[in-house]
Amino acid sequence: MKKSYKIDVDCAACADKMEVAANKTEGVKKATVNFMTLKMLVEFEDGQDPKAVMNEVRNNCKKVESDCEIFLK
């Protein structure tokens, strides 16, 4: 399953940090961050709860870029 999320981040380097952190999160098959569109596309591993995984993605992103935000639906 793939989902798109709106993000708020200040620079492309910060967006790259978010992408790396998201991809290291358990339950994420692949995450891509597009700084130009301020979107994060996340593909989840089979059987994962997207809401729970995205809470962990947000926590991991905050560790590397404290002023970033991911708007969960």
Side-chain angles (χ1 to χ4, degrees):
M1 171 190 306
K2 290 182 184 179
K3 287 193 165 209
S4 178
Y5 299 90
K6 184 178 185 233
I7 62 170
D8 184 22
V9 64
D10 296 332
C11 68
C14 300
D16 287 340
K17 290 179 188 177
M18 288 178 68
E19 182 173 293
V20 170
N23 277 300
K24 290 181 178 178
T25 305
E26 189 174 328
V28 173
K29 191 172 193 177
K30 183 177 181 183
T32 309
V33 174
N34 186 318
F35 175 67
M36 295 301 290
T37 62
L38 294 176
K39 299 264 184 193
M40 177 186 283
L41 180 63
V42 180
E43 183 177 358
F44 300 95
E45 293 180 359
D46 292 337
Q48 295 295 319
D49 174 23
K51 200 172 222 177
V53 172
M54 286 308 296
N55 281 329
E56 284 304 310
V57 167
R58 179 189 273 163
N59 291 339
N60 290 340
C61 287
K62 290 275 189 188
K63 289 177 188 173
V64 297
E65 193 54 47
S66 61
D67 65 346
C68 73
E69 187 58 70
I70 302 171
F71 300 99
L72 305 179
K73 298 175 186 178

